[in-house]
Amino acid sequence: MSPDAHLREEPVSRAELLRGHFLHVVRDTVRLPSGREATREYVLHPGAVMVIGLLDDGRLIMERQYRHPMRSVIVEFPAGKLDAGEGSLACAQRELREETGYRAREWAFAGRLAPTIAYSDEIIDIWFARGLVQGERHLDEGEFLDVFAATPDEVQAWCRDGSIIDCKTLVGALWLQNVMSGAWSLDWSGAMPPGVAR
C-alpha cells in the first residue's frame, strides 16, 4: 500500500466550467480518504518554460511586461506556455527568440516548479541559456514588453526588496544564486534528464 494512501483523493467525475482562448477550467468530483465526496475546481494548463539567459558579460536577460490581473508592470525572466505537441527545450528556444531576439548556443535544464498548486496543474520547466547572440524579436500580436539586462546582484536585490514578486522569477533567482555559488550544478547538454517527461 502507498504510504500516501491516507492523503490521496480519487477522481469520480469531471464537469467543464470554462474553455476559453487561454484558460480551461474544470470541476472534479473526488472521493476523499474518508470515503466522502468533495469538489475541486482548477485550471488545466499545457505547461510552460522559463529561461534564465546569461550574457557573456555576466548580466541576465530580463523583461518588463504589463500583467492585467495584477494591474501592474512586472519584472520577469522570459517565459511562455508550450504549444500543442511542443517539447520543453523547443519551447524555451522559441520563447527566448520571439520575446527577446536572442538565440543561445548552449542550454541546460535546471528543474521544475508548480506555481499555483491549489488551483492549477501548471508546471514550468526552468532552463538556463548561454552563448547568447542577439537578433530580431517576433512578438505575438497584442504582446508588448521591454527587454533589458540586469546583473545578478540587481535581480537578487529586487527579489529582496519586493520589486520582483513573480513566483517563477523568484524561483529562478534561487536557482541562479545556487548555480553561481557552485552549490548546484548544471548539465549544459540541452537535454531533459532521464525520468523527466516533456
Side-chain angles (χ1 to χ4, degrees), residues 70-104:
M70 303 303 296
R71 304 294 198 272
S72 182
V73 172
I74 303 293
V75 175
E76 310 171 49
F77 284 119
K81 73 177 183 65
L82 291 162
D83 287 341
E86 185 176 39
S88 178
L89 176 57
C91 180
Q93 292 169 334
R94 175 181 58 76
E95 287 291 344
L96 183 67
R97 184 176 63 253
E98 289 179 356
E99 292 187 356
T100 73
Y102 283 96
R103 294 176 186 268

Side-chain angles (χ1 to χ4, degrees), residues 38-51:
T39 58
R40 303 288 184 246
E41 296 174 355
Y42 61 103
V43 177
L44 299 177
H45 194 284
V49 299
M50 175 181 67
V51 180

